[in-house]
Amino acid sequence: MSSLPRQLTAVWRWKRRLEVSLDPATCFHCRTFCSTASEADPIEIHKRKLLLWFSHLPPEEKQFGGYFSPETMHVDPLILETKPEERAGLLSSPLQTQASSSPCVTVEQLFDPTGARSEDRGLNVLLYGAVGTGKSTVVRKLVLDWCAGTTLTHFKLLVPFSCEDLGQLTKVASLRDLVSRKYLHLRKHPLLSGEGDQAKDVLFLFNGMERMKLDFRIGSTELCSDPNEPLPAGVVVVNLLRKYLLPEASVLVTTRLSALDRIPQKYVSSYAQICGFRDPDRQRAYFTSRLLQQSGETAQKYVELLYLNLQRESQLAAACFIPSYCWLTCATLHFLHFTNAKAPIRTLTGIYTSFLRLNFGGEVLGTGVGTSVPTQEPNSSLMLYVVRTVGKLAFDGVTNKRTSFSEKELEQWIGGETKTDEELRQLATFRTDVLDFFLAPCVESGKYLPGEFSENSEKKYVFAVPAMQEYLAALYVVLGENKSALQKMTKQVSMAIGQAGEDVSAIVNILSKFIPIRVFAVFNLLKLFPTLYEKISSRTKGSIARTMATELFRTEDSYNEDVLDQVEQSLLGVHGPQPKQHSEGKPFELYPIFMGGLLHYGNRVLLQQLGCSIKSTTVAQITHALRKHLVRELNKPQPPEELMDLLVLLYEFQNPRLTAEVLASIRAIRLPNIRMTSLKCFVLSTVLSCAPASYHVEEMDLSSCLLTHDMLQMLWPAFRHAHALNLQFNSLGPDSCILLRDLLLDPKSAIKSLQLCDNPLLESGACTLLEALPENQSLRHLSLMHTGMGDKGALQLAERLQQHTGLQELNVAYNNIGDNAALALVDACREHPSIHTVHLYLNPLSDVGKQSLYVRGVPKSSGSERRVKVLASVTEGSDISEGWHPILRVIRDNASSWDRQRVQQQLQVFLRDLEWGRQQQQSLLKRLHFRRVEKDVRKTLRMLEKDTPPPSTG
């Protein structure tokens, strides 16, 4: 027992020695190993640790369900070995099809030991590319393959460094100190001693060289050949590239386009440019490696649709030239079609914010950002620079309903009023590295732009992904960058006067006894300016909220599909007839939704990491004003598409209190003909979960929404908040009846009306559903029209009716119910205390059977006032049925989805009944009434024969 504490102490000390913190080069954490150095080779320890660090996936990959590893989802981007005179600039166009003179290579080929490498000097390879083309991905895969022994095996040691980390070091350190600082197990390794030619087996990797200020001038950087001599980190890297320090070692440097000239050409053995995914086959391989990890044929279908859209040379193909946009495409499709109720909540705004954090996290541009609004930060965020330039361009496009921009407009908005040399240098860097990431040449300009533009052949640019324009415009507004010059000056004057007021207040308090009261009042006015500005600022936040509500409920946008369908069409393309384009201009319906999503706390945290701060007071002011505007707009009737967009806005906002307050003004959720997906079902359930249990809508209409059994499971919590539930025309089968039965049995459910027309429930499903009748007492109206319940289902319904005392109306029309089952059902309804109407039309009933039904509907005792109305035909014996008009209306509304021949036969039966009834009448008025009904029946019959869509009957 006494030896156990000593063993634990020894293990703790060893773990502390091997503790490794976050590596800024890869932003990956690692776990310590509990093996001892004496038992393992330092190189093997190094490989195991690198494998752990570089195998760790960022949090953004968790949205894909954790199916991926760097090996399964990696697709090599195109790498071209370029000549020194060709090294600057990207290819002329992402869609350039002609073959390049530069050969396609791999990183391993660049370090081929059988090549031109001399024995005493290693190779210096410069790997460069624009933002998002895959530099970091190539580096990660290279390190993993070296650890696995599948590439660069002639190097015994690979030492990766982050130039961002090295650039932040303030203390001098030798090369061996820099290595041991990150990799303690390599502290005394002989390969780094500089003795002999052992360094020929070492490869140094410096990722992100643009983050270091390297100076190769002899007068500025001293020469050094001793790996133990302490020097600034930049000097150590320069001497490695000069081959004064460990000349036999090889070096791989990755950088952006704008930093190529920082390393003189004489110190570079070869240049290689990462060109992303130039061909659709690489893009398809990327989509396949990610999306096909999902189960079933659904993912395969989406991959095929994506590939078809890419083959059309669409704008999506131009965007997916950059691998980062392939990631964004996969993340968006995963969000749209693979949403799981058990997975963490993801929002479209969160995906775009994470996308920008992955590409621009920690990036700075330096002092004096080249915008019209000077900043005081010593290192201004690159993302903030993007918002103030590209975001300003996006906002102008959204305001004027434009998606394409000329080169002159880019010069106007991106260049701005730059004057100083520093601003011009930053602008040049931004144009070289970042601008092509957001904007791409318009590949469809010749198809859709006016003829006079084609004659001028002026080049147009669009945002690589259309939704990115709306996201950046929303971010531009929410950050308050769209203030007028007067508002900005008012803020500065207010802050200056406010600070002056604080400084003077002490003196004023001392002199208050000696100065007149009127003069004293002037000094007190100084304290009012900050308060006055706060009031002006709150009005500005109110205008943002008003803009959100106005853009969301814009009248001309009511004819468009909901935003989620628009996002899907932008990725998968439009198949079949093209949607009609309206003259009002392109709708930007994601713009207000992104503004709401950016106010969510999780997105604000990510934006804070990007240097874009949204204050909590700003969020509170916008939220307070937004609630008023939304409630005001919801007092008007909204089309289903607009209501779906509102639900998406509330979902993206992720503010339960605001959602509950807005829902309080919604009395009905009508979403007929909305193409529901798993995501939309999840959105509806999530939004309604913010309301209290006592909240109920009068009607929830989800008819013709393509609902499936899995979607019903996701919607189950939302159904609890509905009094009337309409699920017509959704192809729900018998298995769905189990969920609906449990819903009716749920004590928290208060459904009074349930419509299941035109769902193939069949006899088994109907019998399952009817099991809920004995214990459910809330249901008043039940519609099972055209569900295939048959005689068996009708007889079981007749048996269970007496056990449910609250039912008032029952619709079992068009169910292949015969005379005997129909008579049994009407007898049960007649004995029921509350049922007043039974729908039995379009069933194969004989004339005798229909006559018996009408007789059975009359109460037994003449003193009883209650009568069961039986709707079996447009006639009731020799009289016109009271329900003839509802019967014809139902037939007209549903004839397009029913068996046309069967309906025509039933209409012929109606005509025969009308003719016989008219002949029995002596009154001219009654005959005219029969003629009128007969005319409507013939009109409906002609519509079916001509196969024309029926008009709305109101």
Side-chain angles (χ1 to χ4, degrees):
M1 293 296 293
S2 61
S3 63
L4 182 60
R6 291 195 298 270
Q7 295 175 359
L8 292 177
T9 303
V11 171
W12 178 82
R13 288 176 179 172
W14 172 241
K15 290 181 66 178
R16 187 173 182 182
R17 288 173 58 195
L18 289 182
E19 184 178 1
V20 182
S21 60
L22 177 67
D23 184 1
T26 60
C27 293
F28 298 120
H29 292 278
C30 79
R31 298 178 182 175
T32 56
F33 289 87
C34 296
S35 59
T36 60
S38 60
E39 297 175 354
D41 180 26
I43 298 293
E44 293 302 319
I45 295 177
H46 184 61
K47 287 184 177 181
R48 290 202 304 267
K49 294 199 172 192
L50 287 182
L51 193 63
L52 263 182
W53 293 338
F54 285 82
S55 296
H56 186 81
L57 295 176
E60 285 75 13
E61 299 290 358
K62 294 181 180 179
Q63 65 183 324
F64 296 103
Y67 297 109
F68 306 124
S69 64
E71 294 81 13
T72 60
M73 66 183 182
H74 179 78
V75 176
D76 289 322
L78 180 67
I79 302 178
L80 300 178
E81 186 174 9
T82 58
K83 298 177 182 178
E85 60 271 14
E86 301 173 345
R87 67 187 187 274
L90 275 170
L91 299 176
S92 60
S93 170
L95 299 179
Q96 184 178 355
T97 55
Q98 62 266 25
S100 173
S101 59
S102 303
C104 178
V105 296
T106 63
V107 177
E108 186 175 18
Q109 291 173 343
L110 295 172
F111 291 98
D112 187 1
T114 61
R117 172 181 173 178
S118 63
E119 292 294 332
D120 57 343
R121 293 178 68 85
L123 297 177
N124 290 344
V125 175
L126 187 56
L127 188 65
Y128 65 95
V131 176
T133 50
K135 299 186 297 296
S136 298
T137 305
V138 168
V139 166
R140 178 167 64 179
K141 189 65 168 56
L142 176 69
V143 173
L144 291 176
D145 289 345
W146 178 80
C147 293
T150 58
T151 188
L152 299 176
T153 53
H154 55 284
F155 289 112
K156 295 181 181 179
L157 180 60
L158 173 63
V159 186
F161 280 104
S162 162
C163 290
E164 179 186 10
D165 186 24
L166 295 178
Q168 294 175 353
L169 293 179
T170 56
K171 297 181 179 180
V172 295
S174 65
L175 173 63
R176 302 198 70 170
D177 290 337
L178 290 177
V179 173
S180 61
R181 176 188 177 92
K182 291 297 175 188
Y183 312 106
L184 184 62
H185 44 279
L186 299 177
R187 181 177 55 180
K188 298 181 179 180
H189 202 280
L191 290 178
L192 301 173
S193 63
E195 299 177 0
D197 61 349
Q198 296 185 82
K200 69 179 181 179
D201 297 326
V202 180
L203 172 62
F204 290 98
L205 195 161
F206 296 97
N207 188 28
M209 187 267 294
E210 70 276 357
R211 303 198 181 192
M212 292 187 70
K213 297 180 180 179
L214 302 182
D215 192 346
F216 284 81
R217 294 175 298 178
I218 298 295
S220 302
T221 306
E222 59 182 294
L223 302 180
C224 172
S225 60
D226 184 3
N228 297 301
E229 182 180 351
L231 292 170
V235 177
V236 173
V237 176
V238 166
N239 280 284
L240 278 174
L241 293 170
R242 282 174 173 166
K243 297 304 179 186
Y244 279 89
L245 182 61
L246 299 184
E248 300 84 8
S250 295
V251 180
L252 174 63
V253 178
T254 68
T255 187
R256 291 187 181 169
L257 297 172
S258 60
L260 281 179
D261 294 331
R262 295 187 187 179
I263 301 179
Q265 180 181 336
K266 63 181 178 180
Y267 298 129
V268 180
S269 306
S270 58
Y271 293 89
Q273 181 184 16
I274 296 185
C275 300
F277 297 152
R278 279 184 58 190
D279 56 292
D281 291 333
R282 291 178 190 266
Q283 298 167 1
R284 184 178 187 178
Y286 185 92
F287 296 138
T288 302
S289 66
R290 285 182 171 266
L291 294 177
L292 289 190
Q293 299 289 341
Q294 304 296 330
S295 58
E297 302 176 355
T298 306
Q300 180 66 41
K301 177 183 70 174
Y302 294 131
V303 171
E304 294 298 331
L305 292 176
L306 269 175
Y307 189 59
L308 286 175
N309 200 19
L310 295 173
Q311 286 181 317
R312 296 191 190 106
E313 292 189 353
S314 62
Q315 200 66 51
L316 177 67
C320 290
F321 166 77
I322 300 177
S324 289
Y325 278 106
C326 291
W327 181 92
L328 180 62
T329 300
C330 287
T332 306
L333 276 180
H334 189 276
F335 169 73
L336 290 174
H337 293 288
F338 298 101
T339 299
N340 190 341
K342 298 180 181 179
I345 287 182
R346 295 286 297 173
T347 64
L348 190 62
T349 313
I351 289 175
Y352 275 77
T353 308
S354 300
F355 169 73
L356 293 177
R357 191 181 76 89
L358 284 173
N359 288 279
F360 297 100
E363 297 281 355
V364 296
L365 200 61
T367 329
V369 180
T371 62
S372 57
V373 183
T375 56
Q376 304 299 326
E377 302 94 331
N379 289 315
S380 182
S381 159
L382 177 59
M383 191 63 222
L384 191 58
Y385 188 90
V386 169
V387 173
R388 291 172 174 171
T389 52
V390 184
K392 189 175 183 180
L393 174 72
F395 176 72
D396 177 73
V398 170
T399 304
N400 298 301
K401 300 294 182 183
R402 296 173 55 241
T403 57
S404 59
F405 310 91
S406 65
E407 293 183 350
K408 292 182 180 179
E409 290 171 329
L410 293 185
E411 179 66 30
Q412 173 188 354
W413 294 108
I414 306 300
E417 299 178 358
T418 53
K419 297 179 181 179
T420 66
D421 292 341
E422 179 65 19
E423 289 175 341
L424 290 174
R425 281 194 295 269
Q426 291 173 350
L427 179 60
T429 301
F430 178 77
R431 285 178 177 272
T432 304
D433 290 341
V434 182
L435 188 58
D436 290 337
F437 181 81
F438 291 101
L439 295 168
C442 180
V443 299
E444 298 177 343
S445 58
K447 302 178 184 177
Y448 299 106
L449 292 178
E452 54 270 14
F453 167 73
S454 300
E455 295 176 1
N456 296 334
S457 66
E458 184 181 5
K459 201 171 187 179
K460 287 283 186 176
Y461 293 86
V462 297
F463 280 84
V465 172
M468 184 60 73
Q469 178 179 356
E470 301 180 67
Y471 178 90
L472 291 177
L475 186 56
Y476 181 78
V477 173
V478 173
L479 288 177
E481 295 297 329
N482 63 327
K483 295 189 182 83
S484 63
L486 178 61
Q487 289 174 319
K488 295 172 183 176
M489 185 182 68
T490 304
K491 180 179 180 180
Q492 295 173 359
V493 172
S494 172
M495 293 175 61
I497 295 180
Q499 292 174 359
E502 293 177 0
D503 297 336
V504 175
S505 60
I507 301 175
V508 171
N509 291 333
I510 297 174
L511 299 177
S512 60
K513 297 181 180 181
F514 307 100
I515 61 178
I517 297 179
R518 293 180 180 178
V519 179
F520 182 71
V522 173
F523 283 100
N524 283 335
L525 285 176
L526 296 174
K527 302 178 182 179
L528 296 180
F529 278 89
T531 306
L532 180 61
Y533 176 76
E534 286 300 325
K535 292 183 178 180
I536 297 175
S537 177
S538 63
R539 288 182 176 271
T540 303
K541 307 304 184 297
S543 66
I544 294 176
R546 183 170 57 255
T547 301
M548 293 171 62
T550 303
E551 292 290 336
L552 185 67
F553 296 106
R554 189 178 292 275
T555 305
E556 57 267 27
D557 294 345
S558 302
Y559 303 99
N560 303 306
E561 294 179 286
D562 61 84
V563 292
L564 296 180
D565 279 353
Q566 293 177 34
V567 172
E568 180 186 358
Q569 289 176 7
S570 69
L571 299 179
L572 302 181
V574 180
H575 303 274
Q578 295 288 331
K580 295 181 180 180
Q581 299 293 334
H582 297 278
S583 58
E584 290 83 358
K586 175 177 170 48
F588 290 100
E589 298 176 83
L590 270 176
Y591 171 54
I593 292 175
F594 276 142
M595 279 198 284
L598 289 170
L599 301 179
H600 173 46
Y601 177 75
N603 290 324
R604 287 192 287 128
V605 170
L606 295 180
L607 289 171
Q608 183 71 39
Q609 298 173 11
L610 289 170
C612 301
S613 177
I614 302 176
K615 298 180 180 179
S616 299
T617 54
T618 301
V619 176
Q621 291 171 351
I622 296 178
T623 303
H624 179 71
L626 180 63
R627 181 185 60 81
K628 296 181 179 179
H629 291 292
L630 290 181
V631 171
R632 185 182 302 118
E633 292 292 337
L634 287 173
N635 290 329
K636 312 169 188 175
Q638 299 296 336
E641 293 79 10
E642 298 295 293
L643 183 57
M644 188 70 238
D645 292 348
L646 171 66
L647 295 174
V648 174
L649 170 64
L650 296 175
Y651 172 78
E652 293 281 328
F653 210 136
Q654 292 292 308
N655 187 323
R657 182 175 179 180
L658 171 70
T659 302
E661 292 174 348
V662 173
L663 286 176
S665 60
I666 298 179
R667 306 316 309 165
I669 297 179
R670 298 186 178 93
L671 301 172
N673 300 309
I674 293 292
R675 187 181 65 92
M676 295 297 286
T677 61
S678 57
L679 172 62
K680 295 177 185 177
C681 296
F682 183 69
V683 166
L684 179 56
S685 291
T686 304
V687 169
L688 287 179
S689 66
C690 299
S694 58
Y695 169 75
H696 288 89
V697 293
E698 296 299 326
E699 181 185 7
M700 185 177 294
D701 186 356
L702 296 175
S703 58
S704 303
C705 290
L706 303 178
L707 293 178
T708 63
H709 177 71
D710 294 336
M711 293 180 189
L712 279 190
Q713 288 182 314
M714 301 182 73
L715 288 169
W716 204 81
F719 291 158
R720 292 176 173 177
H721 295 277
H723 284 313
L725 182 58
N726 187 346
L727 298 176
Q728 301 180 101
F729 302 102
N730 279 301
S731 302
L732 301 177
D735 53 345
S736 300
C737 292
I738 300 175
L739 289 173
L740 296 173
R741 177 199 62 190
D742 296 341
L743 177 66
L744 293 175
L745 293 176
D746 188 354
K748 297 181 180 179
S749 174
I751 294 179
K752 298 179 180 179
S753 174
L754 179 60
Q755 299 186 52
L756 296 171
C757 310
D758 285 85
N759 287 293
L761 305 182
L762 307 180
E763 291 182 353
S764 58
C767 294
T768 301
L769 180 65
L770 296 177
E771 293 175 4
L773 290 183
E775 298 183 30
N776 176 277
Q777 298 302 321
S778 64
L779 197 61
R780 298 294 179 266
H781 301 271
L782 177 62
S783 178
L784 298 173
M785 180 174 64
H786 197 210
T787 55
M789 62 186 303
D791 287 344
K792 183 179 178 181
L795 292 174
Q796 180 143 357
L797 177 58
E799 293 177 4
R800 295 185 179 273
L801 276 182
Q802 298 304 322
Q803 300 171 348
H804 188 284
T805 59
L807 203 61
Q808 297 176 358
E809 186 173 358
L810 183 62
N811 189 342
V812 290
Y814 200 175
N815 267 307
N816 202 28
I817 298 175
D819 290 349
N820 295 332
L823 290 172
L825 182 59
V826 171
D827 285 341
C829 293
R830 184 183 59 184
E831 301 300 326
H832 194 276
S834 57
I835 291 181
H836 55 72
T837 304
V838 181
H839 299 254
L840 283 166
Y841 41 87
L842 298 182
N843 282 305
L845 302 174
S846 64
D847 294 339
V848 176
K850 285 188 283 188
Q851 186 63 34
S852 301
L853 291 177
Y854 300 134
V855 174
R856 298 288 181 92
V858 179
K860 291 182 179 180
S861 58
S862 57
S864 175
E865 298 181 356
R866 202 182 73 83
R867 176 179 178 271
V868 177
K869 183 190 300 183
V870 180
L871 303 180
S873 177
V874 293
T875 61
E876 189 171 331
S878 59
D879 293 327
I880 296 292
S881 172
E882 296 178 5
W884 73 269
H885 191 273
I887 292 174
L888 289 182
R889 183 183 61 195
V890 169
I891 292 175
R892 289 176 179 175
D893 291 343
N894 302 288
S896 60
S897 61
W898 287 349
D899 183 355
R900 196 172 298 274
Q901 184 177 1
R902 169 76 180 277
V903 176
Q904 289 175 347
Q905 292 175 356
Q906 289 296 318
L907 290 175
Q908 294 290 351
V909 172
F910 289 168
L911 290 176
R912 187 190 63 193
D913 293 343
L914 287 169
E915 183 178 359
W916 180 85
R918 178 165 48 82
Q919 294 174 357
Q920 307 301 316
Q921 301 299 325
Q922 302 297 325
S923 170
L924 179 61
L925 292 177
K926 287 189 177 182
R927 287 187 179 185
L928 291 176
H929 193 192
F930 269 86
R931 288 287 187 184
R932 177 193 170 191
V933 177
E934 185 178 347
K935 181 180 179 181
D936 282 358
V937 174
R938 292 187 183 278
K939 184 178 180 181
T940 305
L941 187 59
R942 285 195 300 270
M943 288 180 180
L944 294 177
E945 291 172 351
K946 293 181 180 180
D947 198 22
T948 56
S952 174
T953 58

